[in-house]
Amino acid sequence: MKKAALALFTLLTLSACSTSVPIRNFDANPVPQMVSGKHDLESIKTNILKACMKLGWTCRSNAEGQILGKLDIRKHQLRVDITFNEQEYSIDYKDSINLDYNGKKIHRQYINWVTNLMRNIDAELAYK
C-alpha cells in the first residue's frame, strides 16, 4: 500500500511540473468600444502599440491591420502576429527561441505572456 501511494505521489508531482502546454492562438477578440464612438484602424494600431510598449514588447506595424510583436525575456524570445480590424483582433504564434516549441506544445509562460498582452490591449482600447 505504501509503495502504491508513493508511486501515485511521484506521478502526480512529475505531471504537475510539466513546463509545456498545447500551443494555441488567440483569435477573434472583440475590440472594446469607446463610449464616445468607434475606433478606426489607426487608433486601434496606436493603442495596441502602446499596450505592447508598456509590457516590454517590441512591436512594429508590417502592413495595414498587422503588427509583428516580439518579447525578449532573458534567453527566451517569442514572436507573434497581431492582426486587427475595426471589430476584432487576433494574436497568433509566429515563432520562438528557447521556449521548447515542438509543433504542438510550448513553454507554459507563452499563455501567460499573450494573455497579459491581451488584457493590456483591451485596457488601452477601452480607456480611449
Side-chain angles (χ1 to χ4, degrees):
M1 182 68 172
K2 286 184 180 180
K3 286 184 181 180
L6 181 61
L8 180 61
F9 175 76
T10 303
L11 181 64
L12 290 174
T13 301
L14 291 175
S15 66
C17 294
S18 175
T19 60
S20 62
V21 295
I23 189 77
R24 67 176 273 221
N25 291 315
F26 298 83
D27 295 326
N29 301 291
V31 170
Q33 295 303 311
M34 299 181 300
V35 174
S36 60
K38 288 188 167 191
H39 288 285
D40 60 13
L41 283 178
E42 189 61 31
S43 71
I44 294 170
K45 177 177 90 171
T46 300
N47 286 303
I48 290 173
L49 292 172
K50 279 185 193 176
C52 290
M53 285 185 348
K54 284 183 178 181
L55 294 174
W57 289 72
T58 304
C59 294
R60 73 171 197 269
S61 181
N62 284 348
E64 186 170 317
Q66 186 176 20
I67 294 172
L68 174 64
K70 182 176 80 167
L71 180 64
D72 289 301
I73 296 183
R74 295 177 299 279
K75 296 179 182 180
H76 306 289
Q77 184 181 89
L78 171 63
R79 292 186 344 148
V80 296
D81 282 321
I82 305 168
T83 55
F84 59 92
N85 59 40
E86 290 160 341
Q87 289 78 40
E88 62 187 26
Y89 69 93
S90 298
I91 302 176
D92 297 326
Y93 174 84
K94 183 170 178 72
D95 59 26
S96 59
I97 297 172
N98 291 329
L99 289 178
D100 302 327
Y101 178 64
N102 67 6
K104 294 182 182 179
K105 291 190 171 189
I106 192 164
H107 193 284
R108 66 179 172 219
Q109 274 304 114
Y110 163 77
I111 301 291
N112 296 334
W113 291 330
V114 176
T115 302
N116 197 25
L117 178 58
M118 287 172 43
R119 280 190 205 118
N120 277 270
I121 290 171
D122 288 345
E124 284 296 323
L125 289 168
Y127 181 70
K128 304 301 174 201

